[in-house]
Amino acid sequence: MAFKIASSPHVTRNLHTSTVMQRVILCLLPGLVVQCAFFGWGTLVQVLLAIIVALSCEAAVMKLRNRNIKASLSDNSAMLTAILIGVAIPPLAPWWMIVMGTAFAIVIVKHLYGGLGHNLFNPAMAAYVLLLISFPVQMTTWIAPSTVALHSPSLAESLQLIFNIGAHVNLEQFRLGIDGIAMATPLDTLKTDLSLGLTTTESLTKAIFDGSTGVGWFWVNLAYLAGGLVLLKLKAIRWHISTGVLLGLFVASSIGFLLSPDTQGSPLLHLFSGATMLAAFFIATDPVTAATSPRGRIIFGALIGVLVYIIRIKGGYPDAFAFAVLLANLCAPFIDYYVRPRTYGHSAS
């Protein structure tokens, strides 16, 4: 029997950073399209504005650092960060919020630590937390999905609200459902109803819910799930972190639901509401801020899933992925230290 011995590294193909980022961006498009379909043109406006700000900040910082501006812009990392911020914030949030958040992500979170590959925290999630803590009202004011909305904003109305220009348009009219009641996100609605003494079953009868999932939010999550599966197929990401996130959230929410079905959301609601699929496939999988070994990635992802459930149930915010991802980023070096793969030829110690 003949064996062929080759020198390391044993890599079948080499993907440049720009190629990986391009694939992630392309796989984000289905979710972005569905999100725009349910929540209007505002999401697209926020994404485009964020891209402009991100590329401008990236170029300015590279100029100050005497680095190659073209090479930095062409790696597509700044654009990806911008898109993630744009789809994460409410579609009709004021323009200065997306500018502030995107600039913070690029200038402070990314480049203050040395640029791509050196940042401790996920830039998009750090920017989201900054905005959420600083402007909680604006960051939790989502409009009603188009299928149950009394009025849906046109492109002109979206631009007027985002940039505060032209004729006065009232944001609250776009939060009203077909029953004339102002709507919040499914997770926020359930959390509020439970605090008022309603049971889960009673809360799920509201217009924002369709069975056991949120109207609109289910399809948005399904679109991001489809994009994430394509990412896995293209091998732009590995399966460990995404699986860990979804499994951790599913197990934690299943236990809670089995113990107290009247005061807990179902696992299906947790998996297909909020930013679950977006975070599991496009945010938590950031290779710079995550754990590195296969076993470490699974632990890292599971930690995020469990933290999301705990914060959703016990915390003050209905969705929790930004906080969970940043906390897991802090734990990544610790996880890597204790789950380092054993060096070939050495005993475990």
Side-chain angles (χ1 to χ4, degrees), residues 31-32 43 56 66 123 126 128 138-139 152 179 197 231 249 279 346:
L32 175 59
T43 299
S56 300
N66 294 318
Y128 182 89
Q138 292 89 338
M139 285 294 289
S152 293
D179 53 5
L231 268 185
L249 180 57
H346 291 257

Side-chain angles (χ1 to χ4, degrees), residues 156-157 160-161 164-170:
E157 290 170 330
Q160 289 174 22
L161 285 167
N164 193 24
I165 56 175
H168 180 69
V169 181
N170 185 6

